[in-house]
Amino acid sequence: MNKGHSLYQEDLSHILEVEHIERLKGKRFAISGATGLLGVCLIDALMRYNEQGADITIYAMGRSKDKATARLGEYFTDSHFHFIEQDAREPIPASLKADIIIPLASNTHPMAYSQYPVETIEINIKGAEYALQKAVECNATVLYPSTVEVYGNAHGEDTFTEDYTGNLNLATSRSCYTESKRLSESMCQSYISEKGAKVKIARLSRVFGPTMLMSDSKASSQFLIKALNNEDIVLKSKGEQLFSYTYVADAICGMLHILLNGENGVPYNISCESCNVRLKDFAFLCAEWAQKKVVFELPSETERKGFSIAMRAILDNTRLKQLQWTPCYTMQDAVNRTLEILKSHE
């Protein structure tokens, strides 16, 4: 990815416009999953803020130093940045002291759910547990990145408000992600109640953007990769699923807004009305950019096992908007920005 691209630099500037961001000056961040879609964008924004004198210290945690070097290597010589090579299922080092802890490490795409369901559960639950333990120890705040998946499947045409409970299906290993994120949220509330933990909860919709990993097997990521490769966009269903998507810069901006302005223990949905689209609409936007066509293809059995069965997952963002947050990017703008930034690197 070309981090110097003008569009990506605009994205970072947008993130740094979040209300009360000056409260982050001098803070120490511990971030697991640092080399993922959200982790890279967040760290890029915080390091950009350091260029303005923010004096933020970042402890970035990930399983592979080689991967971190490829994704975040430009910061390895910066005294504000420290990389810790470790699995999210391991305790955060005892010597690490932080003010803000963000457990971003997670298996978040269908092939991982299908092939490594046990690992998916362990990463989510252990990652949340160790973040909460460290937060109580350090009097830090956890920013917990939850997901639209905690709502289950919608009843008819319902839209998900933060108190919504949909249909749940436990008779599949695909529930490894959904149920471990639900339990992690329950753990957050338990630590608040029993140990006085400080936790801000962000429920994310389906996030995409130029910091994506090329190994991501989500349908939306595959659409983008096909477009970059100048290939027809492959849709492995009728594409009628109606989902909330969020561009990564809006997602990070929303998360920081919740961190700085949200109430303790109160979940907030992050979504953008103009990015509520059907899966086939996402596919056609990518095809339009690449001047290719959309083709329909049956999924393999392994792929099918990792697919969500949800046909509708729309997040109501009223609660977050009441905190004076507004999403910035339309769906077409988000798709085009992603592809233009990634294309420049290719």
Side-chain angles (χ1 to χ4, degrees):
M1 176 192 153
N2 178 9
K3 292 187 179 183
H5 195 288
S6 60
L7 292 177
Y8 189 63
Q9 291 302 307
E10 286 179 10
D11 292 343
L12 298 182
S13 295
H14 165 61
I15 293 168
L16 297 182
E17 291 171 355
V18 67
E19 188 175 8
H20 301 309
I21 193 168
E22 67 279 359
R23 295 176 185 167
L24 298 182
K25 289 183 176 180
K27 300 298 184 183
R28 298 164 296 180
F29 279 73
I31 303 169
S32 70
T35 60
L37 167 73
L38 292 166
V40 169
C41 187
L42 171 60
I43 290 170
D44 285 343
L46 294 176
M47 293 300 288
R48 169 79 171 271
Y49 196 28
N50 275 344
E51 293 175 7
Q52 302 171 24
D55 194 30
I56 292 168
T57 300
I58 297 170
Y59 299 99
M61 294 174 279
R63 282 192 283 195
S64 168
K65 186 172 183 179
D66 288 342
K67 187 175 180 181
T69 301
R71 301 274 280 168
L72 298 164
E74 66 269 36
Y75 306 129
F76 273 52
T77 58
D78 193 304
S79 61
H80 288 93
F81 181 87
H82 309 274
F83 180 73
I84 301 169
E85 188 174 33
Q86 71 164 61
D87 194 292
R89 292 169 290 182
E90 300 171 0
I92 298 172
S95 60
L96 192 155
K97 305 301 179 186
D99 302 297
I100 297 161
I101 304 169
I102 310 178
L104 288 172
S106 184
N107 289 340
T108 58
H109 61 99
M111 290 301 286
Y113 306 150
S114 175
Q115 296 175 325
Y116 309 110
V118 174
E119 178 186 84
T120 298
I121 291 171
E122 291 176 345
I123 290 173
N124 285 341
I125 293 174
K126 287 296 184 183
E129 180 181 14
Y130 291 137
L132 290 162
Q133 287 177 355
K134 177 61 74 171
V136 171
E137 174 192 321
C138 295
N139 192 31
T141 297
V142 172
L143 174 58
Y144 186 70
S146 191
T147 169
V148 60
E149 302 250 5
V150 300
Y151 295 110
N153 299 321
H155 304 285
E157 299 298 305
D158 290 352
T159 296
F160 299 152
T161 56
E162 284 84 355
D163 58 355
Y164 189 89
T165 302
N167 296 311
L168 300 171
N169 178 17
L170 298 179
T172 168
S173 63
R174 175 60 173 75
S175 67
C176 63
Y177 181 73
T178 303
E179 290 306 300
S180 57
K181 293 299 278 190
R182 285 169 61 88
L183 178 56
S184 294
E185 270 208 44
S186 180
M187 198 182 304
C188 289
Q189 297 296 348
S190 298
Y191 266 77
I192 291 169
S193 176
E194 184 175 334
K195 299 179 182 294
K198 295 181 290 186
V199 186
K200 307 295 180 74
I201 301 171
R203 289 182 181 161
L204 294 154
S205 56
R206 288 162 168 81
V207 182
F208 70 98
T211 51
M212 63 180 276
L213 290 160
M214 293 299 121
S215 58
D216 194 330
S217 63
K218 288 194 293 289
S220 57
S221 299
Q222 290 303 303
F223 297 162
L224 294 162
I225 291 168
K226 290 286 187 182
L228 285 170
N229 292 336
N230 199 34
E231 299 173 9
D232 290 335
I233 310 304
V234 178
L235 192 54
K236 299 195 175 186
S237 69
K238 292 182 180 179
E240 295 295 332
Q241 302 94 319
L242 180 61
F243 295 148
S244 289
Y245 294 92
T246 309
Y247 185 58
V248 66
D250 261 348
I252 296 299
C253 188
M255 289 173 66
L256 291 178
H257 195 92
I258 293 164
L259 172 65
L260 292 163
N261 305 288
E263 295 183 41
N264 195 45
V266 176
Y268 296 88
N269 289 338
I270 299 178
S271 65
C272 174
E273 294 85 346
S274 67
C275 295
N276 295 338
V277 300
R278 298 192 184 279
L279 191 62
K280 64 182 180 182
D281 297 327
F282 198 139
F284 278 106
L285 284 172
C286 293
E288 180 183 3
W289 181 88
Q291 297 185 317
K292 305 298 287 186
K293 61 180 183 291
V294 175
V295 299
F296 295 83
E297 179 181 296
L298 291 175
S300 69
E301 183 60 31
T302 301
E303 289 172 326
R304 187 181 292 110
K305 284 171 64 179
F307 286 178
S308 170
I309 62 172
M311 290 300 295
R312 179 183 173 88
I314 299 298
L315 288 180
D316 183 303
N317 62 10
T318 301
R319 180 180 288 177
L320 185 53
K321 281 188 168 181
Q322 288 173 345
L323 292 183
Q324 309 306 311
W325 179 78
T326 305
C328 179
Y329 303 90
T330 67
M331 190 65 184
Q332 183 158 28
D333 185 27
V335 168
N336 289 346
R337 292 177 85 89
T338 299
L339 291 168
E340 289 296 331
I341 294 167
L342 289 174
K343 176 188 175 184
S344 69
H345 177 72
E346 295 299 322

